[in-house]
Amino acid sequence: MHALAWGDVIIKFYIPRTHSNTVRVTVKLLRPYSDTAGWETRQVEFGGGTLRALLLALGERFPALGKELLGAGGAPDEAVALLLNGRMAGPGDGAALGEGDTVTIFTPVSGG
Amino acid sequence: MSGKLAIVDLTHGKTAVEAIPERWRRNFIGGRGLNSLLLYKFLKPGVDPLSPENVFIAGAGLLTGMPAPSASRMNFHFKSPESGILGDGNMGGFFGAAMREAGFDHIVFRGRAEKPAYALLDGGRIELRPAGDYWGLDTIEAQMRFRKDLGRCETAVCGVSGERLVRFAAVRSGMKASARCGGGAVMGSKNLKALAAAGSGEVPVSDAAGFTEYVQSLKDYVAGAKVAAVLGKVGTAFLYDTSNAIGAIRTKNSTLTSWVEAFNSKHIEEATRKMTACAGCYIHCRHRNRLKGEGPEYSTTGLLGANCGIEKTEEVVELNNLCNRYGLDTSSAGSIIGWAMELFERGIIDEVRTEEPLKWGDFGRMKELLRQINFREGFGGILGESTHAVRFFGERSRDYLIAVKGLPQSDPHDCRYIKAFALGIAVASRGADHLRNRPTLEIFTNLPSDVKERIYGKGVNRDPTSYEGKAQAVAFSDDIYAAVDSLGVCKFVCHGFNSPHAVDFGRMAALARLGAGLHFDEKGLRAVGSNIIDIERLFNLREGVTRRDDTIPRRYFEEGMTGPVTKGHRIERAKFEAMLDEYYALRGWTKEGTLPPERVQALEGYL
């Protein structure tokens, strides 16, 4: 838990939602996902929920990207790494995404 | 398993050839492991690394040259002129396979040739030949000349930098390098310009039918991994972008930890002509660039780029190619030049020393400095001393050096955020190096806890910024990377390096049994990894390493990171020391980091 900052208040209560239940977030893709999707940054509206729900929504909307992000049975692939508003996060993390959140998707592979 | 060990006396021009005892194979395998044992056996403590008393050892992995997954790798071992402790470099390409095809698995060079010489390996024989005509040639010219003179052969050479004893001179073969720790300078100090393997023999496989069948099934498993597909498509340079995005890229000698977005891997890929592979490789991670070189890879991109304040990615391609032609370790070159740039900015050194201003991002000056380092001229002559340049720059300069045990950090990933990475570079047997034990799975935040526990054991906290249990992750990585290095298999297909799958201890054991007739179970193979770590530690203890040397750069303790995710992160000293205690206990070492007497006795019993 952390104290609610003014930035949170503005994002959560003053940015108007596009329509009921949907949430608009900024999705940033790093390579190789940006190569697959053909874009690097997008505003994405989805039905709300956790990071897992966002990944599933991305998989539906961008099937080629979905093949990279989701493993067998539609579960998020273990080789997907996520930043939520600049902090490391996992798709199983419980909190629902808020309007205006930024999610960065990358692969945790590292070089030799 | 029929390859031989040769002992070459360069001083007297004599060669002895021996069989490799089975107890060495069973307990150290080959490649890095057996080389480390040979280094301990053949080197007296306390010798000057650039004197004839040092040894230079070439050793192929147990599976090198067999059609096992990505089994191209070999090691060169010596006492490092850069760090003064155990030195080695691991290399892909084709030389390891060619050396075995010429009849040798390990070769120990002792003494110093009176005049420049090269060693020709062919049909189980080693001949020392004059190399006067090749002396003074760079690493590409020399190799082309050998090909012209000898016909089909693979060569491992030093450049002018090696001849002139640059402390981070590499050994080069084809477009690959054994870059770390100054092996090229040890070759130069011995008047040994090259090893040329002209053999056309075969590497025997113990159970050819079983091996082929097993490797075929493994090929689909390994090559099918997403990680393999990504590396094969875009190579490693894009990983720079990932480190930069989380704010963990060493920038301007680690005064910053993120760099301008305009500097990125896309431009490197624009300069890529095609992807290339080492012998038997499934991954083909290397770029052949349009400037007739290979790379740059991720480490080089970070260290010759962001770490020196370079803003144009295409300039790094050129700097990379220059280092390769000269035969310089790009990790040390980028680290040492970045260090000097900060010292100049702080006024710790001035133009009296540097001859001209030394500014971040000065591409022209960097090119000139690399040339000077290669030829040991002017200020570059001092930079060629690597971390020993503290002698010229003064004790204050040490505070800004990003190195451990005298070896500049290899990886451009700043270690203050992921705590296990910091412990890894502190205890790695050749100094600050990520290829010994980096537990990359620490970045896999999507890895379920039970999978992580199955790999490292219980108690490794999922949070990469936690110190809890991280010693376990490092100790596991120590052992499995030592085993895979000794088999001659690339880390890009090694379990835990980039993937929680790939070639694990069980699969390694199957490959060793079918390929070389060596029987291990998973536990036994991990114990061999442990033998290798311990013999390397014993070597370093004999050279005077103590617990105080198992540390990290001052900056990592005292200054916070500056990146978007990592801002403010640093390593807390007390927690670091607790991790170190835990690590020593897991390794069975004393609280001072020494080996118990009974363990020393057991290891020396293998000699």
Side-chain angles (χ1 to χ4, degrees):
Chain A
M1 291 293 291
H2 60 88
L4 201 63
W6 277 112
D8 294 329
V9 173
I10 291 165
I11 288 167
K12 288 188 187 304
F13 300 110
Y14 289 91
I15 293 179
R17 293 191 170 189
T18 48
H19 57 83
S20 61
N21 297 328
T22 63
V23 175
R24 184 171 51 194
V25 297
T26 301
V27 176
K28 291 185 177 178
L29 301 177
L30 299 190
R31 307 184 72 193
Y33 301 122
S34 56
D35 290 344
T36 303
W39 52 269
E40 290 179 1
T41 304
R42 271 202 182 184
Q43 302 289 313
V44 174
E45 282 181 18
F46 76 117
T50 62
L51 283 163
R52 184 188 302 273
L54 174 66
L55 293 179
L56 291 170
L58 287 170
E60 277 182 21
R61 205 163 311 170
F62 307 100
L65 179 63
K67 282 186 186 170
E68 301 287 327
L69 298 179
L70 305 170
D77 191 90
E78 64 195 11
V80 172
L82 301 163
L83 299 178
L84 172 58
N85 298 327
R87 294 181 63 86
M88 291 274 205
D93 293 352
L97 297 182
E99 188 78 15
D101 280 348
T102 296
V103 177
T104 306
I105 305 175
F106 64 104
T107 181
V109 178
S110 199
Chain B
M1 221 166 67
S2 62
K4 295 168 190 163
L5 163 68
I7 320 260
V8 180
D9 179 347
L10 291 165
T11 308
H12 301 100
K14 291 182 179 169
T15 298
V17 177
E18 302 172 4
I20 295 172
E22 194 182 338
R23 71 177 187 283
W24 289 3
R25 287 293 195 197
R26 296 205 57 77
N27 293 289
F28 297 91
I29 302 179
R32 172 183 156 195
L34 193 40
N35 268 12
S36 291
L37 182 76
L38 292 168
L39 186 68
Y40 188 81
K41 179 180 171 66
F42 282 100
L43 197 72
K44 288 180 188 165
V47 305
D48 176 352
L50 295 173
S51 73
E53 283 71 39
N54 200 357
V55 294
F56 181 74
I57 307 172
L62 184 74
L63 303 174
T64 302
M66 296 185 195
S70 302
S72 67
R73 319 244 1 145
M74 63 167 299
N75 270 68
F76 292 104
H77 270 64
F78 40 85
K79 181 174 175 180
S80 167
E82 195 169 17
S83 64
I85 59 168
L86 180 139
D88 79 286
N90 180 279
M91 181 173 81
F94 298 87
F95 187 80
M99 184 174 131
R100 296 195 82 188
E101 286 164 7
F104 297 97
D105 285 3
H106 292 263
I107 308 171
V108 180
F109 291 93
R110 313 180 77 173
R112 180 176 191 271
E114 190 183 351
K115 291 179 179 173
Y118 74 94
L120 178 65
L121 326 176
D122 191 2
R125 291 185 307 277
I126 296 182
E127 185 186 345
L128 292 176
R129 291 182 168 185
D133 289 349
Y134 307 93
W135 205 252
L137 299 182
D138 69 37
T139 65
I140 294 173
E141 292 166 341
Q143 292 192 80
M144 288 174 70
R145 183 75 180 272
F146 277 115
R147 281 276 175 95
K148 184 167 172 270
D149 294 348
L150 299 175
R152 184 183 171 275
C153 67
E154 296 295 332
T155 49
V157 305
C158 70
V160 175
S161 59
E163 297 168 11
R164 300 194 182 190
L165 311 181
V166 173
R167 289 184 189 270
F168 50 91
V171 183
R172 291 262 293 159
S173 181
M175 293 292 211
K176 311 295 184 224
S178 160
R180 296 250 73 192
C181 302
V186 177
M187 286 182 81
S189 74
K190 294 186 171 303
N191 266 335
L192 181 64
K193 181 68 181 179
L195 284 68
S200 55
E202 291 180 351
V203 180
V205 175
S206 180
D207 174 356
F211 189 75
T212 306
E213 189 181 341
Y214 184 70
V215 165
Q216 190 57 37
S217 67
L218 206 53
K219 178 176 175 290
D220 295 338
Y221 175 68
V222 171
K226 280 184 180 163
V227 167
V230 171
L231 288 169
K233 187 178 163 205
V234 297
T236 64
F238 82 101
L239 303 166
Y240 164 87
D241 300 344
T242 304
S243 289
N244 194 33
I246 66 171
I249 199 78
R250 289 166 58 197
T251 303
K252 292 190 172 180
N253 199 41
S254 301
T255 53
L256 302 170
T257 61
S258 63
W259 190 227
V260 293
E261 282 190 19
F263 182 88
N264 60 58
S265 67
K266 272 189 184 172
H267 299 298
I268 289 171
E269 283 162 35
E270 284 163 11
T272 299
R273 203 156 57 80
K274 62 176 181 179
M275 303 301 288
T276 67
C278 299
C281 181
Y282 298 176
I283 307 289
H284 49 85
C285 68
R286 270 298 186 97
H287 308 79
R288 180 70 50 87
N289 66 52
R290 292 185 197 283
L291 299 176
K292 297 184 178 175
E294 264 192 22
E297 292 196 71
Y298 145 80
S299 290
T300 306
T301 306
L303 292 174
L304 288 174
N307 197 52
C308 295
I310 290 286
E311 294 188 15
K312 292 181 182 168
T313 324
E314 54 271 28
E315 291 177 350
V316 170
V317 179
E318 202 172 331
L319 295 170
N320 165 78
N321 287 2
L322 275 178
C323 281
N324 286 344
R325 178 173 282 279
Y326 293 144
L328 298 172
D329 174 7
T330 56
S331 291
S332 285
S335 295
I336 293 298
I337 291 174
W339 173 51
M341 286 171 165
E342 185 184 356
L343 296 181
F344 186 85
E345 187 177 60
R346 288 182 177 277
I348 294 172
I349 56 175
D350 59 21
E351 279 183 65
V352 174
R353 175 63 70 194
T354 63
E355 298 163 353
E356 288 177 45
L358 195 54
K359 292 179 180 165
W360 299 113
D362 188 340
F363 173 58
R365 188 80 207 283
M366 281 186 71
K367 281 202 297 186
E368 174 58 11
L369 283 176
L370 292 176
R371 192 196 66 77
Q372 286 188 350
I373 290 169
N374 181 51
F375 290 104
R376 296 301 293 255
E377 291 174 358
F379 182 56
I382 294 173
L383 296 181
E385 287 291 294
S386 185
T387 51
H388 294 243
V390 168
R391 257 191 0 256
F392 300 92
F393 299 161
E395 269 306 307
R396 265 182 76 207
S397 69
R398 201 183 292 280
D399 275 350
Y400 305 98
L401 191 51
I402 306 300
V404 176
K405 299 185 181 78
L407 188 75
Q409 190 186 328
S410 53
D411 187 345
H413 194 97
D414 192 290
C415 292
R416 284 172 275 190
Y417 184 73
I418 300 177
K419 310 310 179 192
F421 286 13
L423 178 64
I425 65 163
V427 298
S429 60
R430 64 180 177 187
D433 200 283
H434 66 295
L435 294 170
R436 287 298 211 235
N437 54 27
R438 185 186 61 195
T440 316
L441 300 185
E442 284 292 285
I443 324 178
F444 278 62
T445 50
N446 187 24
L447 202 61
S449 294
D450 62 319
V451 175
K452 210 166 182 180
E453 274 186 12
R454 220 168 32 242
I455 296 167
Y456 296 141
K458 282 187 190 289
V460 181
N461 194 306
R462 231 178 123 240
D463 178 359
T465 68
S466 163
Y467 297 80
E468 190 185 4
K470 300 309 160 93
Q472 279 175 240
V474 173
F476 172 86
S477 304
D478 268 343
D479 292 340
I480 195 164
Y481 298 169
V484 84
D485 283 345
S486 304
L487 289 167
V489 170
C490 179
K491 289 195 181 69
F492 277 165
V493 300
C494 176
H495 166 75
F497 188 71
N498 264 336
S499 164
H501 306 295
V503 180
D504 54 11
F505 281 122
R507 291 177 174 87
M508 285 185 210
L511 287 166
R513 177 171 51 81
L514 296 165
L518 273 180
H519 292 258
F520 298 104
D521 58 18
E522 291 183 35
K523 210 173 158 188
L525 202 50
R526 181 160 184 189
V528 169
S530 226
N531 288 344
I532 296 163
I533 298 301
D534 283 357
I535 197 77
E536 291 177 351
R537 182 67 177 183
L538 198 54
F539 180 90
N540 284 339
L541 292 168
R542 200 171 68 174
E543 294 297 334
V545 164
T546 68
R547 178 177 177 131
R548 287 186 59 186
D549 299 300
D550 291 340
T551 188
I552 53 175
R554 177 202 64 83
R555 175 162 272 153
Y556 286 3
F557 284 124
E558 296 179 5
E559 297 175 24
M561 297 171 80
T562 65
V565 178
T566 59
K567 195 168 178 58
H569 277 271
R570 62 183 179 83
I571 301 293
E572 294 176 55
R573 280 186 193 274
K575 289 180 178 174
F576 174 83
E577 292 299 328
M579 271 201 302
L580 195 56
D581 284 339
E582 193 187 340
Y583 173 81
Y584 285 172
L586 285 165
R587 295 239 63 94
W589 298 351
T590 68
K591 272 191 87 80
E592 289 72 43
T594 61
L595 273 64
E598 61 275 15
R599 181 61 172 152
V600 175
Q601 198 179 5
L603 288 168
E604 292 191 334
Y606 295 129
L607 293 174

